[in-house]
Amino acid sequence: ERSLVGRYAVSRVIGERQRFEQAIIESNRDRTKAAVLLGMSRATFFRKAKDLGLVQSRRQSVTEASLDQ
């Protein structure tokens, strides 16, 4: 059974991933515009998107499979 802290962390990650996915969709996969929508720099966007499994590297585009999950 997960601790309260563990459940909160998982919930937070899921919420952040949903925010990123929505920004990517609203920006028509333009990662620079998605970063602006989220109020962060492109570098921060790429780092966090990679951590969330939404991009594999800076050279790869946002994977459609990651948004279909």
Side-chain angles (χ1 to χ4, degrees), residues 2-17:
R2 288 190 189 140
S3 69
L4 182 59
V5 173
R7 286 187 297 229
Y8 173 75
V10 169
S11 177
R12 188 170 154 246
V13 169
I14 291 169
E16 186 169 31
R17 183 181 171 99

Side-chain angles (χ1 to χ4, degrees), residues 2-66:
R2 288 190 189 140
S3 69
L4 182 59
V5 173
R7 286 187 297 229
Y8 173 75
V10 169
S11 177
R12 188 170 154 246
V13 169
I14 291 169
E16 186 169 31
R17 183 181 171 99
Q18 289 173 341
R19 284 182 44 235
F20 270 68
E21 289 173 343
Q22 188 61 37
I24 292 165
I25 290 166
E26 288 180 18
S27 68
N28 293 317
R29 299 190 191 281
D30 182 323
R31 294 173 290 179
T32 300
K33 288 180 183 177
V36 170
L37 287 172
L38 293 169
M40 61 183 65
S41 70
R42 285 185 70 222
T44 299
F45 173 84
F46 280 107
R47 182 175 36 81
K48 288 187 174 192
K50 185 177 177 186
D51 290 345
L52 293 168
L54 296 173
V55 294
Q56 310 247 326
S57 72
R58 292 192 70 175
R59 292 180 182 237
Q60 288 184 320
S61 64
V62 175
T63 60
E64 291 190 26
S66 67

